């Protein structure tokens, strides 16, 4: 007996069938239902976004939202302080540095990752 959780049967979120669970042979080894290869959200921490008809589609079978993927980031801004009047300090809005903190589907708020071969640029 190993300490890994045995993957046997789970309810498929797309068709509702009690299906056996398999691992799809991708880089991130997504855990999917055997019947329709739908990702099982509660067995996957972070799934790769799908691209369908030029849109980013949520990979989770029970969601599947199109164009609802967002980047989460954390910004640090340096605002210089000056005394503008007696008793008042003013802060000028300065340069900010953004750090990406991952991606999520805004519909189901689950974490996702970007598909291979795509590069993210900010506009
Ligand atoms: Zn199914
Ligand atoms: Zn979603």
């Amino acid at each position: 007996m190993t300490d890994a959780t045995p993957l046997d049967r789970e309810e498929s979120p797309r068709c509702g069938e009690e299906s056996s669970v398999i691992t799809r042979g991708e880089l991130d080894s997504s855990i999917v239902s055997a019947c329709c290869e739908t990702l099982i959200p509660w067995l996957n921490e972070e799934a790769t976004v799908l691209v369908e008809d030029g849109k980013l589609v949520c990979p989770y079978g029970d969601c599947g939202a199109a164009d609802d993927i967002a980047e989460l980031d954390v910004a640090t801004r340096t605002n210089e302080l000056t005394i503008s009047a007696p008793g008042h300090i003013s802060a000028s809005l300065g340069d900010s540095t953004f750090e990406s903190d991952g991606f999520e589907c805004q519909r189901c708020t689950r974490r996702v990752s970007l598909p291979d071969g795509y590069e993210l640029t900010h506009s």
Side-chain angles (χ1 to χ4, degrees):
M1 215 32 215
T2 62
D3 61 358
T5 314
L7 301 176
D8 34 49
R9 297 180 86 78
E10 287 283 343
E11 190 177 308
S12 160
R14 180 172 289 172
C15 67
E17 214 172 291
E18 278 274 308
S19 176
S20 55
V21 167
I22 57 171
T23 302
R24 193 156 58 191
E26 287 175 1
L27 278 175
D28 57 357
S29 301
S30 315
I31 300 166
V32 300
S33 65
C35 58
C36 54
E37 293 220 2
T38 295
L39 279 169
I40 314 273
W42 50 94
L43 297 180
N44 288 280
E45 287 233 324
E46 198 175 88
T48 304
V49 170
L50 306 170
V51 179
E52 284 171 17
D53 295 331
K55 287 180 179 160
L56 295 169
V57 175
C58 175
Y60 296 107
D62 56 344
C63 174
D67 276 346
D68 243 341
I69 308 298
E71 179 186 29
L72 308 171
D73 67 23
V74 182
T76 312
R77 198 149 59 183
T78 307
N79 302 328
E80 291 196 6
L81 301 183
T82 45
I83 294 177
S84 55
H88 288 270
I89 292 173
S90 90
S92 63
L93 293 184
D95 293 338
S96 42
T97 321
F98 293 91
E99 224 173 283
S100 184
D101 193 35
F103 305 89
E104 75 169 23
C105 170
Q106 294 189 287
R107 183 87 56 89
C108 63
T109 67
R110 280 181 293 226
R111 303 280 285 192
V112 294
S113 57
L114 292 190
D116 286 341
Y118 285 84
E119 203 181 312
L120 181 71
T121 54
H122 291 98
S123 54

